[in-house]
């Protein structure tokens, strides 16, 4: 957790697996969102963290917010000049939003939990898909497969669109779906122009308490919220076809070295270094910096 002494005037509001939120009487209607270097997998925070992860993911979110011109987002201001110096590179000053209890997942390719569900039902979150698809196959068109944001300590649950209507109402449910598909399409085109495939991602939205405007919040299109693949490797096929620019290296190591009971083992230095390199490579290839 961030040392409170490094954030004078700010009070901790919430501490999650990988980020913290702070409030200040000097910033009414705003929160300071600080991304840590912590890494989680299988609902556990692991040791050690990934050096520079918080800064990389924050930088990538800011970059995507800039690319998505015209999409309202939670940034209170674009400049980092008024952020506490100790966390300036891994923090965002965000407008307080009334967040919706829905993770807005969009899939352009079949993988992960979607692939597991497809094998059982030939559908994902109630969306019927063609027969004969394989892990990693591109879908005929992107699909919206929402999830219910479970309370802290519980697992998120994949749900149907009809269930989101029950949760937030028909008008908001449709707005969440339409905005998610539109942003995914725009982001996919940007990524493809840089040799990167956006396989799937999740967005979180809230309502601006003053205007009610649907607003994109939290992190966006980062390695922790998305599955990115190298287009060249994907087209070449083979065992590296679905290597992703995220913490999959960590997950793979844990599957081999831990039975998911008790405390997770400490990550080896080489696994930490390889994961950090994947995070850096993605941001370099996307932003050119």
């Amino acid at each position: 957790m961030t040392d409170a002494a490094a954030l004078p005037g700010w009070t901790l509001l919430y501490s999650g697996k990988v980020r913290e939120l702070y409030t200040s009487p000097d910033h009414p209607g705003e929160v300071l969102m600080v991304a840590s270097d912590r890494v989680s997998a299988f609902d556990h925070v692991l040791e050690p963290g990934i050096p520079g992860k918080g800064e990389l993911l924050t930088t990538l979110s800011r970059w995507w917010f800039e690319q998505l011109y015209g999409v309202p987002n939670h940034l209170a201001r674009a400049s980092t000049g008024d952020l506490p110096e100790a966390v300036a590179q891994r923090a965002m000053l965000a407008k307080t939003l009334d967040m919706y209890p829905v993770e807005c997942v969009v899939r352009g390719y079949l993988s992960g939990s979607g692939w597991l569900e497809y094998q059982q039902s030939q559908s994902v979150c109630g969306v019927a898909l063609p027969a004969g698809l394989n892990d990693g196959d591109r879908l005929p068109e992107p699909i919206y497969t929402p999830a219910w944001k479970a309370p802290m300590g519980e697992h998120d649950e994949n749900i149907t669109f009809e269930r989101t209507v029950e949760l937030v109402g028909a008008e908001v449910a449709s707005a969440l779906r339409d905005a998610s598909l539109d942003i995914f399409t725009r982001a996919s085109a940007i990524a493809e122009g840089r040799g990167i495939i956006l396989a799937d991602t999740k967005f979180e939205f809230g309502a601006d308490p003053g205007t009610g405007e649907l607003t994109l919040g939290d992190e966006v299109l980062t390695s922790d919220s998305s599955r990115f693949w190298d287009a060249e490797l994907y087209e070449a096929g083979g065992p590296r076809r679905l290597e992703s620019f995220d913490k999959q290296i960590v997950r793979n190591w844990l599957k081999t070295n831990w039975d998911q009971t008790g405390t997770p083992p400490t990550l080896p230095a080489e696994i930490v270094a390889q994961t950090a390199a994947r995070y850096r490579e993605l941001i370099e290839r996307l932003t050119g910096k």
Side-chain angles (χ1 to χ4, degrees):
M1 187 178 298
T2 305
D3 184 359
L7 300 174
W10 292 93
T11 301
L12 180 66
L13 175 67
Y14 166 83
S15 181
K17 291 177 185 175
V18 297
R19 65 172 57 83
E20 296 134 17
L21 299 179
Y22 295 83
T23 60
S24 169
D26 296 328
H27 294 271
E30 299 174 347
V31 293
L32 183 69
M33 180 182 295
V34 181
S36 73
D37 289 346
R38 297 189 296 271
V39 61
S40 68
F42 305 116
D43 291 321
H44 285 75
V45 176
L46 310 173
E47 295 289 345
I50 307 300
K53 174 176 176 281
E55 180 176 337
L56 288 170
L57 296 192
T58 300
T59 299
L60 193 53
S61 279
R62 289 180 185 150
W63 183 82
W64 276 114
F65 283 136
E66 291 176 359
Q67 308 311 304
L68 298 171
Y69 179 78
V71 176
N73 65 62
H74 71 181
L75 289 180
R77 54 189 63 87
S79 171
T80 62
D82 54 356
L83 296 175
E85 184 177 355
V87 296
Q89 299 309 311
R90 55 188 180 93
M92 292 183 280
L93 193 59
K95 295 177 286 188
T96 301
L97 302 175
D98 296 325
M99 299 301 292
Y100 294 112
V102 177
E103 288 199 335
C104 299
V105 180
V106 181
R107 305 173 191 270
Y109 292 73
L110 187 61
S111 195
S113 64
W115 164 240
L116 296 176
E117 187 174 340
Y118 172 82
Q119 293 177 87
Q120 298 175 343
S121 63
Q122 201 176 301
S123 64
V124 181
C125 296
V127 179
L129 295 174
L133 296 178
N134 296 306
D135 187 14
D137 280 358
R138 185 169 188 166
L139 299 174
E141 61 182 9
I143 60 173
Y144 177 67
T145 59
W148 173 66
K149 287 164 58 175
M152 185 71 173
E154 299 182 27
H155 294 286
D156 293 340
E157 175 188 345
N158 288 347
I159 58 177
T160 63
F161 175 76
E162 289 71 24
R163 176 59 179 144
T164 67
V165 172
E166 296 174 1
L167 289 170
V168 299
E171 183 177 350
V172 171
S174 295
L176 292 174
R177 177 192 59 199
D178 295 347
S180 298
L181 289 168
D182 176 64
I183 295 170
F184 182 86
T185 300
R186 291 177 59 180
S188 294
I190 293 170
E192 287 175 11
R194 292 158 172 80
I196 300 291
I197 291 173
L198 173 58
D200 55 52
T201 193
K202 69 177 180 71
F203 304 113
E204 296 192 32
F205 294 90
D208 185 302
T211 65
E213 184 175 46
L214 187 70
T215 304
L216 184 60
D218 201 58
E219 63 179 335
V220 61
L221 295 159
T222 70
S223 304
D224 274 12
S225 66
S226 315
R227 199 185 314 268
F228 291 100
W229 295 329
D230 183 301
E232 186 174 346
L233 287 178
Y234 180 86
E235 294 299 333
R240 298 185 60 196
R241 174 172 176 255
L242 304 183
E243 282 187 5
S244 51
F245 291 93
D246 58 15
K247 57 188 175 185
Q248 191 60 46
I249 296 169
V250 170
R251 295 192 195 96
N252 291 345
W253 185 85
L254 284 174
K255 288 178 182 177
T256 303
N257 295 277
W258 182 46
D259 62 3
Q260 296 190 37
T261 61
T263 302
T266 300
L267 298 175
E270 63 269 21
I271 296 298
V272 172
Q274 290 171 24
T275 304
R278 292 297 280 174
Y279 279 101
R280 286 195 302 270
E281 182 180 355
L282 176 65
I283 193 170
E284 289 168 1
R285 290 185 59 175
L286 283 174
T287 69
K289 300 178 183 178

